[in-house]
Amino acid sequence: MAAATHNLILVNRPLAQAPKDFNAIAARMAALAPEIAVHLVHADTEAATLPVSLWEKPVLAVSMLPPGRFRPLRGRFLHGAHIPKFEQMRRFADAGVAVPVTALYAPGRQLRPERWGRHVIVKPTAIRAMSQGDAVFLMRTERAAELGLRVFPEGHAARAAPLLVQQFIDTGDYPESYRVLTLFGAPIQAMRYRAWYPRPPLDAPDEKFLEGPVASNADPHFSCMLDAEPEVLAFARRAAAAMPEVPLQGLDIVRERTTGRLYALEANPGGNTWHFSSKLAEQGRREVSGAERIAQFGAWDVAARVLAERTLSDAV
């Protein structure tokens, strides 16, 4: 067998991605692209401990999450990044991907229904406050100034980062959304989330709005299922292209009930979305197993192909 001409370094965090997943991808790459040598390293590895010969050929390093201590001595390093949600929305819009009307929000600010519609969503951007979908509030637009201060008062943990106000996209009586996981733009898993309980009727009192579920993934009150609608997958590919430097994107997408139109909500570019094996998704894999998720698109084969293509095009 000829010696490898390129090196791919896969940076692993075991709680976020089981090492066996990356080993399975590397095995497929060995058959698909023997000219690429694949190296699996822990996120805290010191690059200087790797063989000197590795750095003598073109190198691409890929981390699904933001970097740990590992930094390649040379070559290109593509990795997850914490991109503010408002910046994500701007980049989607600039790429021609439909998004709800969105703005940074100062509680107490009056909103005009003629711009925002009858209802809005107010939500935090702080990662911990947002991760379970239980700090997302539906409000009447003309009441948002008062209610925003009520649910996010001064000193609330969510106020440590900007709040967002967003046009309400009605996905139905039971909130639904899609999550398409892409690796360099190629879908490797696609799910649909559905809340267990109906959202409040849109003519309900304010108190009901603040009590009822709005997000389709408000933990733990939702179900998940594999769902690979072609239109949603095509939309996800276009959305992922808005942030091409981010390897792993968990694209959250909603479909408006009355029009059928799709909207992008978030890319989750921090990369903590490898739910084939992540600690975070243990509960979800009781409903849809890791094996079922992998089999949906042949995730390891797709990953091997995409990583081989990116290594040959981007390694330096």
Side-chain angles (χ1 to χ4, degrees):
M1 180 183 298
T5 58
H6 293 68
N7 287 297
L8 170 65
I9 300 173
L10 292 177
V11 183
N12 180 248
R13 291 181 185 267
L15 291 180
Q17 317 106 7
K20 65 181 177 60
D21 295 353
F22 286 6
N23 285 327
I25 293 168
R28 284 162 173 77
M29 287 187 66
L32 178 68
E35 67 272 33
I36 300 172
V38 182
H39 311 267
L40 179 60
V41 304
H42 190 279
D44 290 332
T45 298
E46 294 288 349
T49 64
L50 298 178
V52 173
S53 59
L54 188 155
W55 309 110
E56 296 173 351
K57 296 173 182 176
V59 175
L60 173 66
V62 174
S63 174
M64 307 304 173
L65 278 76
R69 290 170 55 194
F70 178 79
R71 295 292 189 282
L73 298 183
R74 59 170 304 279
R76 182 163 290 144
F77 190 16
L78 300 175
H79 52 77
H82 295 303
I83 300 174
K85 290 182 175 62
F86 188 73
E87 172 67 10
Q88 293 180 47
M89 302 300 282
R90 185 193 65 77
R91 291 182 66 172
F92 286 142
D94 287 349
V97 174
V99 296
V101 178
T102 304
L104 297 177
Y105 184 63
R109 171 185 159 200
Q110 294 288 341
L111 301 174
R112 295 183 291 110
E114 56 266 31
R115 179 187 181 196
W116 294 94
R118 294 177 55 208
H119 300 85
V120 293
I121 296 291
V122 178
K123 59 186 180 182
T125 62
I127 294 173
R128 291 183 180 177
M130 185 64 187
S131 61
Q132 304 301 330
D134 56 357
V136 179
F137 294 96
L138 174 64
M139 303 174 187
R140 285 184 177 80
T141 304
E142 67 269 18
R143 296 277 290 149
E146 176 185 344
L147 296 177
L149 284 170
R150 179 172 162 187
V151 297
F152 296 118
E154 286 289 343
H156 192 290
R159 297 280 290 272
L163 300 176
L164 287 186
V165 59
Q166 198 164 68
Q167 171 193 5
F168 172 57
I169 304 300
D170 186 6
T171 63
D173 295 339
Y174 290 78
E176 287 191 341
S177 66
Y178 302 92
R179 163 69 64 82
V180 181
L181 188 65
T182 63
L183 182 60
F184 290 118
I188 56 175
Q189 182 189 311
M191 307 287 292
R192 179 158 54 96
Y193 299 141
R194 190 170 194 262
W196 287 352
Y197 306 112
R199 61 149 174 76
L202 295 181
D203 59 356
D206 292 335
E207 293 302 319
K208 291 295 183 183
F209 281 163
L210 300 186
E211 294 172 2
V214 178
S216 59
N217 63 339
D219 190 49
H221 308 298
F222 69 95
S223 60
C224 60
M225 61 208 79
L226 295 173
D227 191 314
E229 295 184 31
E231 183 185 7
V232 175
L233 297 181
F235 185 87
R237 290 186 185 96
R238 290 194 288 113
M243 286 166 265
E245 77 282 9
V246 178
L248 189 71
Q249 297 183 40
L251 292 148
D252 289 331
I253 298 165
V254 293
R255 185 188 294 278
E256 189 171 35
R257 172 169 61 173
T258 55
T259 65
R261 190 181 188 194
L262 297 172
Y263 294 84
L265 298 184
E266 187 176 358
N268 293 285
N272 197 19
T273 50
W274 190 269
H275 295 334
F276 306 106
S277 57
S278 69
K279 180 74 173 175
L280 182 64
E282 278 184 333
Q283 181 65 34
R285 287 194 296 276
R286 296 177 184 176
E287 193 165 4
V288 181
S289 71
E292 290 173 310
R293 294 166 189 247
I294 295 164
Q296 183 184 27
F297 299 125
W300 298 167
D301 293 314
V302 175
R305 174 180 57 78
V306 171
L307 286 167
E309 291 171 354
R310 290 303 294 253
T311 302
L312 295 175
S313 66
D314 288 13
V316 293

